[in-house]
Amino acid sequence: MSFVSEGADFRGALAARAGRGLAEPSLAGVGDYIALMKPRVMSLVVFTALVGLAVAPGSLHPMIGFTALLCIAVGAGAAGALNMGYEADIDALMIRTQRRPVPRGRVKRGEAIAFGLTLSAFSVVTLGLLVNALAAALLAFTIFFYAVVYTVWLKRSTPQNIVIGGAAGAFPPMIGWAAATGSLSLEPILLFTIIFFWTPPHFWALALYRTDDYARAGIPMLPVVAGDASARQQILRYTLILTPLGVAPWALGFAGPLYGLTAVVTGAIMVALAWQVFCERRPAERASKQLFAFSILYLFLLFAVLLIERGWGGLLARLVA
Amino acid sequence: MGRAACPVGGVTIGIAMNDQQDDDGIVLTEAQKRARRSRSIAIALALAALVILFYVMTLVKGPGVLVRPI
């Protein structure tokens, strides 16, 4: 082989790599990588983990608490990056997601996945070294569950995707509790259950008015596969399971009367909205939008009141100690 | 360059052209340089934060830094 042919081969290979987008230098900025971490999802994860951490018994140095929350936040960001890296093809087809960094071409799929894997490793190892092994193991399992079980397996294969996959979003209070105590008990499992049963009505309400979007991307969300009426019925069923669970921390003596009152009132509103969704038919989507918006407030209020009532006093005592 | 010692037509020119292209490599635009610089700074800051975090946590945990209850 002559130098000429070697050079031609090299240039050919380079051109082929450039054609596949491998050799082209990246234009991605820091903002693109932050967007990969899904900051809004991350903020909800940090908030629920904070509640788990704050309501847990025993003493905890604030720096250890901060480290635990930081690792949980980075772990959630890592899961988000892995999700965006894997789902770039369907993200490009959906209006809601087509502005994400990978479909826009700002970050390549491989870069997003490498970023997610790096953050996963750092967050889990740091949490294990600086806080405790149980919290680290739970964080690792949560990232695996979201990135592999939900994103790779469930999301494209079953209309129950967000029912089972919802567990990933429900783990953070348990991780927070485990970080504070090094163990688990009924209370964090109850918090897990509340988020687990909150997830289906929340996401199906969104899917009801984004059905075309999901159908275009080929994602088998319940309204796409089972139809509009069936999805509305399932939303009502899950809401009827959720609201007693929301009251359970008060009923079981884990929370005070303020929490009980909040859970009863907001739970009643959730059921009323779910009933409206059940009665509504396409193309009407007002009730679905209202339920989607209120479900966020519902979960936030439950956890915020729990934090104020149970956690805040404990957190202040720990800071003073 | 400077390897044009062999004056035999195509081969010599081929070598020179290859060297020219290899030496130049991939030339970054100003925007790409700015993006790379911002990424490098972010990585440096993240690593510095990690070092500080481990240092502070070592002080906080004291001799029990290696005790990690399950």
Side-chain angles (χ1 to χ4, degrees):
Chain A
M1 184 180 280
S2 71
F3 284 118
V4 177
S5 61
E6 272 183 357
D9 287 344
F10 175 72
R11 284 196 303 279
L14 195 66
R17 286 177 65 199
R20 293 200 306 269
L22 295 174
E24 192 183 331
S26 177
L27 262 174
V30 176
D32 294 309
Y33 282 93
I34 291 173
L36 276 181
M37 296 171 76
K38 299 190 177 180
R40 280 195 301 178
V41 175
M42 215 160 81
S43 62
L44 190 64
V45 165
V46 169
F47 176 64
T48 54
L50 169 69
V51 175
L53 194 83
V55 301
S59 62
L60 181 74
H61 192 285
M63 194 60 207
I64 297 177
F66 168 77
T67 304
L69 289 178
L70 184 69
C71 291
I72 293 167
V74 174
L82 290 170
N83 171 274
M84 282 202 204
Y86 187 78
E87 288 192 341
D89 55 337
I90 53 177
D91 280 353
L93 299 173
M94 294 175 65
I95 294 164
R96 189 172 68 88
T97 54
Q98 62 191 196
R99 298 293 300 161
R100 287 177 173 175
V102 183
R104 264 202 307 152
R106 297 283 297 180
V107 179
K108 296 179 189 78
R109 287 183 86 159
E111 289 172 341
I113 290 170
F115 180 61
L117 289 174
T118 306
L119 291 189
S120 301
F122 268 95
S123 59
V124 170
V125 170
T126 306
L127 191 62
L129 287 174
L130 299 182
V131 182
N132 67 54
L134 177 63
L138 282 171
L139 181 64
F141 182 71
T142 305
I143 295 170
F144 169 80
F145 200 89
Y146 185 72
V148 179
V149 177
Y150 171 69
T151 303
V152 176
W153 177 36
L154 295 171
K155 186 160 183 181
R156 300 174 193 232
S157 61
T158 168
Q160 296 300 311
N161 47 17
I162 49 114
V163 178
I164 309 163
F171 274 117
M174 286 176 71
I175 304 172
W177 183 285
T181 63
S183 64
L184 289 173
S185 68
L186 183 61
E187 276 183 89
I189 293 170
L190 193 55
L191 296 180
F192 168 92
T193 315
I194 290 171
I195 302 178
F196 183 79
F197 281 95
W198 167 87
T199 308
H202 171 74
F203 277 105
W204 284 335
L206 171 74
L208 276 177
Y209 62 90
R210 296 276 189 189
T211 306
D212 298 339
D213 225 11
Y214 283 110
R216 190 166 46 245
I219 303 171
M221 291 297 280
L222 191 66
V224 177
V225 175
D228 193 64
S230 173
R232 290 170 193 276
Q233 194 181 44
Q234 291 293 323
I235 285 174
L236 183 61
R237 274 188 197 162
Y238 274 90
T239 307
L240 289 173
I241 299 170
L242 168 68
T243 44
L245 281 169
V247 182
W250 167 70
L252 294 172
F254 299 147
L258 180 62
Y259 176 88
L261 182 68
T262 308
V264 169
V265 172
T266 54
I269 297 171
M270 274 293 285
V271 171
L273 288 172
W275 178 256
Q276 283 181 14
V277 170
F278 178 67
C279 297
E280 189 180 55
R281 286 291 176 268
R282 287 191 84 182
E285 53 190 30
R286 190 162 160 262
S288 314
K289 286 181 175 173
Q290 282 179 339
L291 179 65
F292 175 75
F294 185 78
S295 64
I296 299 170
L297 183 66
Y298 171 76
L299 192 69
F300 173 76
L301 280 176
L302 288 191
F303 277 75
V305 172
L306 199 60
L307 180 67
I308 292 164
E309 209 177 52
R310 279 280 314 277
W312 197 243
L315 210 59
L316 283 178
R318 284 172 198 165
L319 285 172
V320 171
Chain B
M1 303 237 293
R3 287 210 276 150
C6 178
V8 187
V11 174
T12 304
I13 293 166
I15 294 168
M17 284 174 69
N18 286 346
D19 285 358
Q20 178 70 48
Q21 291 202 358
D22 288 352
D23 288 346
D24 287 351
I26 296 168
V27 180
L28 299 182
T29 64
E30 280 308 308
Q32 286 165 340
K33 282 180 185 170
R34 273 199 305 276
R36 184 177 64 177
R37 185 175 167 75
S38 72
R39 292 196 301 268
S40 301
I41 291 170
I43 292 168
L45 290 175
L47 287 174
L50 197 65
V51 170
I52 293 167
L53 181 70
F54 270 80
Y55 178 70
V56 173
M57 284 296 287
T58 305
L59 295 181
V60 166
K61 297 190 92 169
V65 70
L66 291 176
V67 178
R68 297 186 299 279
I70 294 176

